[in-house]
Amino acid sequence: MAISRYLGIGALILVLLISALAVIYSKYQSRLIFIEIQKQERALDQYEVEWGQLQLELTTLAELNRVEQVARDQLKLIMPLREKIIYIKP
């Protein structure tokens, strides 16, 4: 009877140790996942800043007067006379 009691206590201690190790492992995994989430959030913030800069640049480059200025200065295009413009109706 005493042997079975010691075996029962030993089994309980073994289960306790296994569960303690499982808790430690689970806490470690959650910390690793949290660190990865933080990295991804920092990357997302950087992408959002870059997206905003690209949107601003696109708006600047697409302005009508900018397009007209580039056409005149770099491509040496000129506006045709009003009499030479042909309008096509759909």
Side-chain angles (χ1 to χ4, degrees):
M1 183 140 150
I3 293 176
S4 66
R5 182 182 233 180
Y6 288 126
L7 287 177
I9 291 174
L12 287 174
I13 290 174
L14 182 62
V15 168
L16 178 67
L17 287 175
I18 291 173
S19 69
L21 289 174
V23 167
I24 292 169
Y25 178 76
S26 133
K27 187 67 173 176
Y28 173 74
Q29 287 298 321
S30 71
R31 284 184 181 159
L32 288 180
I33 291 170
F34 179 75
I35 290 169
E36 184 63 28
I37 288 171
Q38 293 296 316
K39 286 180 188 175
Q40 295 299 324
E41 284 179 348
R42 280 193 298 272
L44 178 63
D45 290 341
Q46 183 61 35
Y47 289 137
E48 286 177 352
V49 167
E50 185 178 350
W51 174 254
Q53 291 171 346
L54 289 173
Q55 290 292 97
L56 184 61
E57 183 179 345
L58 179 64
T59 302
T60 303
L61 292 175
E63 288 180 358
L64 185 59
N65 57 355
R66 166 111 172 104
V67 172
E68 190 175 335
Q69 182 182 4
V70 169
R72 271 195 224 133
D73 296 343
Q74 293 180 3
L75 301 176
K76 307 296 184 211
L77 297 177
I78 58 169
M79 186 67 123
L81 297 174
R82 198 176 263 287
E83 300 85 35
K84 297 208 179 209
I85 297 175
I86 301 171
Y87 293 99
I88 300 175
K89 294 181 181 180

